[in-house]
Amino acid sequence: MNTDNAVATDREAAVTAEVLASFDTTPDARLRAIMHSLVRHLHSFAREVRLTEPEWETAIEFLTRAGHVTDDRRQEFILLSDVLGLSMLTVAINEPDAPGATESTVFGPFFVDDAPEIAQGGDIAQGATGTACHVTGRVRSVTGEPVAGARIDVWEADDDGFYDVQYPDDRTAGRAWLHSGADGGYRFWSVLPAPYPIPHDGPVGDLLTATGRGPMRPAHLHFMVTAPGFRRLITHIFLAEDPYLDSDAVFGVKDSLIVDVGHHNDSPPAGAPTEGPWTSITFDLVLAPGDGH
Ligand code: BEZ
Ligand code: FE
């Protein structure tokens, strides 16, 4: 190493050492460990890419724009975490060690708390457009016992790829919750989900464009399932026929969550919201033991 390089290396190491030391007295041990590790990795990233000052400014402008487009209906920072795979890495790190349980995937920004309750066999579409889809299955434990009375929240985009929170009015559509029956069974009507782009008219969209990546998510139906004595399950099911399974913008696809779709031209089951062609999906929701969180 020549002398100039040695001087630069010492200068850089001194900055890192000083910043690390500034967190040494953090009272909370977990926060101290996180800040030490963050500084070590962030500094070594900057050293590895030899970060220039214009690049640092671009990053600050990017984060500033993300802040400006974020409000209570749009969360650009979660979207950034999603496209960087940080959301799915966090899901993977925290996946329970419960063989046979349904795998989790990314929560996404489109859940809302005040969805309507429906009875077994009810319709979550409530005006969301698309081909009717009958969704059935059982909620059970990893040892096969039925889980009665589980709360099943479901939400989805319509066949134009929009969630109700993206509609210009305040309609609720494509979301509801229901309880599993005494045998753990559940059934409801919905519309067959369609692939859609994640919001890409902001800085995260620009990042995808600049890096030659696409914004599309494969079609999916979101589930959140809670029941006393079990870990909360947040997942989706994906359609085997979807063209975007291998290029999900947020890396949420897992093989175990891909389901076949039945396409039917005969009369739908009694209580169907349609007389026309319909589709069907069957998927069991298998819960890991836990404390309801
Ligand atoms: C979603 O599936 O709803 C979603 C997940 C991550 C980013 C955007 C949308
Ligand atoms: Fe979604």
Side-chain angles (χ1 to χ4, degrees):
M1 186 179 285
N2 68 35
T3 314
D4 282 354
N5 274 351
V7 169
T9 302
D10 286 353
R11 189 171 57 226
E12 292 165 21
V15 174
T16 302
E18 190 179 352
V19 179
L20 284 172
S22 78
F23 289 107
D24 283 351
T25 51
T26 304
D28 184 277
R30 173 72 178 156
L31 180 60
R32 185 166 63 244
I34 287 174
M35 293 314 298
H36 277 158
S37 181
L38 176 67
V39 169
R40 265 198 315 274
H41 287 279
L42 193 61
H43 286 217
S44 92
F45 157 74
R47 267 194 289 273
E48 180 181 316
V49 301
R50 306 309 302 161
L51 190 68
T52 67
E53 285 164 334
E55 286 163 350
W56 176 89
E57 274 167 30
T58 301
I60 296 298
E61 278 160 19
F62 177 92
L63 294 173
T64 304
R65 284 179 61 210
H68 286 158
V69 298
T70 295
D71 59 21
D72 53 2
R73 292 174 80 90
R74 166 109 181 225
Q75 231 303 353
E76 197 76 0
F77 292 100
I78 294 184
L79 214 51
L80 179 59
S81 160
D82 294 338
V83 303
L84 292 177
L86 180 61
S87 307
M88 278 307 291
L89 179 61
T90 308
V91 168
I93 289 168
N94 292 283
E95 192 81 82
D97 185 15
T102 299
E103 290 187 280
S104 307
T105 189
V106 63
F107 192 44
F110 295 124
F111 174 78
V112 299
D113 263 332
D114 55 356
E117 180 179 6
I118 55 164
Q120 285 280 347
D123 186 9
I124 75 156
Q126 315 269 338
T129 54
T131 307
C133 183
H134 197 217
V135 185
T136 57
R138 287 177 63 219
V139 185
R140 55 185 169 82
S141 68
V142 287
T143 45
E145 289 85 22
V147 179
R151 177 178 166 135
I152 307 168
D153 276 275
V154 196
W155 65 106
E156 64 168 348
D158 63 20
D159 68 349
D160 289 322
F162 292 111
Y163 287 83
D164 57 359
V165 292
Q166 298 173 295
Y167 295 168
D169 53 29
D170 280 341
R171 266 181 310 138
T172 296
R175 67 178 73 244
W177 63 275
L178 69 160
H179 280 123
S180 57
D183 61 352
Y186 74 87
R187 64 198 157 79
F188 60 86
W189 285 91
S190 64
V191 293
L192 193 63
Y196 65 84
I198 62 169
H200 59 112
D201 56 348
V204 169
D206 291 348
L207 175 66
L208 293 177
T209 305
T211 53
R213 284 177 51 185
M216 294 303 289
R217 292 218 66 204
H220 56 272
L221 187 59
H222 291 259
F223 284 92
M224 179 163 73
V225 187
T226 45
F230 294 93
R231 190 173 194 274
R232 182 175 67 173
L233 171 66
I234 293 171
T235 197
H236 328 329
I237 51 180
F238 297 92
L239 314 185
E241 59 199 30
D242 196 283
Y244 294 101
L245 287 174
D246 293 330
S247 56
D248 183 358
V250 303
F251 310 100
V253 179
K254 292 178 173 174
D255 286 351
S256 67
L257 303 177
I258 300 173
V259 296
D260 288 321
V261 181
H263 291 267
H264 313 277
N265 286 311
D266 56 353
S267 320
T274 178
E275 310 238 303
W278 58 288
T279 56
S280 60
I281 291 173
T282 297
F283 188 74
D284 282 357
L285 298 156
V286 185
L287 304 184
D291 63 0
H293 293 101

